[in-house]
Amino acid sequence: MQALRYARATSIDEAVRMLREGGETARVLAGGTDVIVQARERRRVIDLFVDIKHIPEVMALEYDPQHGLRVGAAVPLYRVYGDANVQRVYPALRAAAHVIGGKAIQGRASLGGNLSNASPAADSIPAMMALDGVAEIAGPNGRREMRVDEFCTGPGRNALQPGEFIVALRFPQPAPHSGQAWERFIPRNEMDIAVVNAACALTLAGDTVTAARVTIGAVAPTTIMVPAAVEALVGRRLTDDTIAAAGTAAKDAATPIDDMRGTVRQRKHLADVLVQRVVRAAAERARGN
Amino acid sequence: MVATPQKPAYKVIGTRPVRPDGVDKVTGRAAYGADVVLEGMLFGSILRSPHAHARIKRIDTSKALALPGVKAIITNADFPTQESGTLDLGEGSANPKWLVDNVLAGDKVLYHGHAVAAVAAVDWHTAEEALGLIDVEYELLPFVIDVREAMLAAAPILHHDLRTNVRARNADTPKDRETNIAMHMRVEKGDLDAGFAEADIVIEREFTTSQFHQGYIEPQNGTAHWNHDGQITVWTSTQGAFSVRDQVATLLGQPVAKIKVVPMEIGGGFGGKIPVYLEPVAALLSKKTGHPVKMWMSREAVFQATGPTSATWDRVKIGAKRDGTLVAADVSLCFAAGAYPGSAVGAGVLCALAPYAIPNQRIDGFDVVTNTPKTAAYRAPGAPAAEYAVEAVVDEIARALDMDPLDLRLKNAPDEGDTNSSGAPWPRIGAKAVITAIKESAHYNSEIQGEDVGRGIALGFWFNGGMESSSSVAVNPDGSVSLILGSTDIGGTRASLAMQLAETLGVPYEAIKPQVVDTDSVGYTAVTGGSRTTFAGGWVAYDLGQEIRKRLTERAARIWGVDVSAVTYNDDATITGTDKDGKAQRFTFEEICRRLPSTGGHIAVSAMSRRNTAGPAYAGHIADVKVDRETGKVTVLRYTAVQDVGTAIHPSYVEGQIQGGAAQGIGMALQEEYWYDDQGHLRNGSFLDYRMPVANDLPPIEVILVEVPNPGHPFGVRGVGEVPIVPPQAAIRNALRDAIGVNFYHTPVTPTRILDELLPRA
Ligand SMILES: Cc1cc2nc3c(=O)[nH]c(=O)nc-3n(C[C@H](O)[C@H](O)[C@H](O)COP(=O)(O)OP(=O)(O)OC[C@H]3O[C@@H](n4cnc5c(N)ncnc54)[C@H](O)[C@@H]3O)c2cc1C
């Protein structure tokens, strides 16, 4: 690791100023579970860490049925999945947060970091996209918002402008009779990078799907929405056939690569399997809601 | 659970006392290599090859040397020139010429991660920074990773001076052309053709196994100080302090008298911490700078450059009669040695068919160099791959004959007096006892239920080593006994050796104070490896105990003024007899020890033992698995390891060894493997992507200890540490066949490979 500077921001404005002044080689430090590893392995040239964990807004988690959920960007994952409202209302988010790394990692790692790091295999991103998440961004030109499904632009790349960072992530209150689920496939039972991950949120009227969002990860340069799977589901009765059609749509939408973690054939197949599984699990929950 | 009830009424052996090093280890006080801090210490780091195979045309260190804080840089040229030869490492050997080129590359780099140059600097970060400033000009060469390709005549050649050492009668392997095949050996007995002619069925299969790493938690490290008087001290994490001393002496061209090696606590080795990597480099950097130099490896370097196992390509052909008698076997094993010759194929050859008494057999072994790290010993080196292939074919024979796989194995298991593959008779062995214990186990007699579940069994064999151990003891006036050891304590040997001395003397375990010391403080002791330490160290402890008994008896005789024949040392450590007045006398152990200083002095004894009576070890494992057909994921539902352990000195440590070996073997069976890209780069040099099992990947591993005492040891000890890694790959593979009807011919059987079989072909 190279020598670098560490600065602690205590307000949003201070963080923006530090990032802007730090330029190209300044980096937000949230939990550090990605960025400290990258710095140690010299995969990135970093001269300045701007620690955002001492900004109260960035560390707050709020929920009310009116406005939904707002998670500060650096709130550690154990607080996300440990929150009773998250567990009850956003089980897909809970599930993703609960498996990232292990206990030690979850004490530090954040949703903001998982999203900004923009790994194609990031585990919380499919969940956040399926839940219609929105990122609240602060920067030199003030605040703006961006949908999570538009945030990642490539492996390790995101749509933030210089000096910008994520303050919080917002998720709307789910509609009545809706359900959500998240799954990933890893060869081990923990401490592994997803070969494929997937999430689904859907709303039922009786047996008919009235709305759905389906996402898959680790099968393209970024986590992707699968509109064809949504088409296969919305307006239809949820039968084995419609579920299979959603799975096939996911398989067709997937454009994975062969690498040490999996093959094209395996990943396309798993996209199908996992999407079917999350659709079933989401529907199960929707029936109970 | 112990399956054999009768054994001598030991008092200490078979109990489970607390280990002497326990408190220090759980409180973090135990000192490991990384804890070494010396006045004026510098930090060393190594530049590694980004290429799989390249000629080093030029190394320019000027920019790096100019970086403030950098004190010295060395390359291979700084080492004395080495002649070809053989250096015994304990478990395996090394040619100094190749060893030095592995420590720092000579004219070529031979694998991704091969050490090229080393820097010493005032701190670790500066040393790392300096690596980036060393300019190396490479001429890229074609490379070969796969053992099959490396054997082809047209393969890129790693060593142009290498010729095949043919140790096989009637073999037509060429001996005088450029090749990557360093050695061809053959072991045979009986008449192969006649044997196969007798067979009712013959099954022949081909297998490949991936390269696995030992995966110890503690990375390699080494600190060295080359003093101004020429004395060199090395602190390191090693399985064999004397082996490090000898290797360092050879590589530095120094007499062993100049070198003292201090073994630190060790965070695992499994065979991988026998060859040296950093120690001679740290020593040379120390010589150049006049300061102590400390080095340690990153995990990535550990994966890239320290001993993995061989990737292998194996063929097994076995013939059987309809009644299940195995009549002939033809086995061929090709092991990738990595960059320099010296894989464990020889041991693989001798182990492959050891679980069976097959009259007609031939086993060929090929040692093949490839552009991958030089392999090192890994727990029963060579045996897992060889026996996996044989156990898979035996399983297919049982299926083809519609025989219970255990019955088939029992029918063909060897007994005392049967001959092994090289024609020597087996001593007392537990092969049949192990199979019988499996048959009687609750696990084997339980039902397996559900869809896509299956059960597999496999046997395993390992020779176990004897070799040399030394110790000294000092009897203290308070009745305690100091036991000085030269064996690094990996699996609880301080305790297991102290227990054997306590048993010999008849004193409580707590009276013995074991201590592991440096190479200047105890006699030559071979590596903690080859499952030899409790065996050989136990022999020394026994010999020393007998000598103490004898001397205490003599002392009592002198005190009582009688001949020693009138004095008895009893098994409860009391000494009884009659004095010169004919009066009955008695000393407790403490009483006589208290009298030592005033009756002629303390007692101190040293001994060395080198016996070749190590008892071979047999094991049999049962695995139940469940396969998720949609994802290819395998869950190990239940796992039982049965093993002949001779005598379990400390049953908890024996069970721990067996569970550890099984866990590593399950990792090999299902998920671990080296992954090279098309540039020959190792891409998964991290615990994240080199997937050793984590705790929740494994079921509880049940252990059944079978005790068939080794007649070649005073307490019946057999080595126990290595054989448990042998059966898992085949046990799991055979269970998968049972579960989903697919025979796999490669390990690991990852979800990717399972889906490849289960998904319809495109
Ligand atoms: C052992 C281990 C296991 C892991 N397992 C998993 C896993 O199972 N699944 C998974 O998805 N990931 C895993 N990870 C990766 C990592 O833990 C996650 O991506 C985590 O969510 C990152 O969050 P963080 O707060 O630590 O991010 P940091 O490392 O602090 O930051 C990550 C990147 O995002 C930037 N950043 C952080 N916060 C913001 C912000 N608010 N605004 C703008 N930029 C920001 C940083 O500058 C940096 O570039 C693992 C990591 C380790 C070390």
Side-chain angles (χ1 to χ4, degrees), chain A residues 27-38 44 52 58 73-74 77 99-102 105 108-117 119 121-124 151 158 160 164-167 184 191-194 197, chain B residues 688:
Chain A
R27 282 261 146 193
V28 172
L29 178 73
T33 61
D34 276 319
V35 79
I36 291 179
V37 180
Q38 290 160 3
R44 282 182 197 280
I52 57 169
V58 173
L77 296 176
V99 302
I100 291 178
I105 296 296
R108 284 265 158 186
S110 64
L111 294 180
N114 199 232
L115 179 58
S116 304
N117 192 58
S119 158
D123 279 314
S124 73
F151 185 84
N158 63 46
L160 290 176
E164 285 190 328
F165 76 103
I166 306 175
V167 174
R184 72 170 171 179
M191 280 294 171
D192 223 333
I193 293 184
N197 52 23
Chain B
L688 181 59

Side-chain angles (χ1 to χ4, degrees), chain A residues 15 27 29 35 71 78 81 88 95 110 112 118 122 132 167-168 181 193 212 220 243 245-246 251 263 270-271 281:
Chain A
R27 282 261 146 193
L29 178 73
V35 79
V71 185
Y78 84 94
Y81 67 71
R88 189 169 46 84
S110 64
D132 220 353
V167 174
I193 293 184
I243 295 172
K251 182 179 183 168
T263 59
L270 286 172

Side-chain angles (χ1 to χ4, degrees), chain B residues 50-120:
Chain B
H51 307 299
H53 195 187
R55 188 171 309 287
I56 300 175
K57 296 185 74 177
R58 189 176 52 86
I59 302 179
D60 180 353
T61 58
S62 54
K63 265 193 256 142
L65 277 169
L67 184 72
V70 172
K71 298 294 184 189
I73 298 178
I74 60 167
T75 64
N76 179 279
D78 290 273
F79 280 101
T81 311
Q82 293 291 341
E83 298 299 320
S84 205
T86 306
L87 187 60
D88 182 18
L89 302 187
E91 196 156 30
S93 61
N95 180 337
K97 189 167 77 106
W98 292 325
L99 185 60
V100 69
D101 284 357
N102 193 40
V103 162
L104 281 177
D107 59 338
K108 292 207 293 184
V109 290
L110 293 165
Y111 54 93
H112 177 219
H114 195 161
V116 173
V119 177

Side-chain angles (χ1 to χ4, degrees), chain A residues 46-123:
Chain A
I46 300 171
D47 283 324
L48 173 68
F49 273 146
V50 178
D51 186 350
I52 57 169
K53 290 192 292 297
H54 298 269
I55 307 170
E57 195 182 344
V58 173
M59 296 301 283
L61 187 153
E62 299 153 14
Y63 168 78
D64 71 69
Q66 205 75 60
H67 303 97
L69 178 69
R70 185 170 186 270
V71 185
V75 171
L77 296 176
Y78 84 94
R79 279 180 56 200
V80 177
Y81 67 71
D83 184 87
N85 291 311
V86 172
Q87 290 171 8
R88 189 169 46 84
V89 187
Y90 303 93
L93 190 61
R94 184 219 161 256
H98 191 71
V99 302
I100 291 178
K103 277 269 178 308
I105 296 296
Q106 291 155 4
R108 284 265 158 186
S110 64
L111 294 180
N114 199 232
L115 179 58
S116 304
N117 192 58
S119 158
D123 279 314

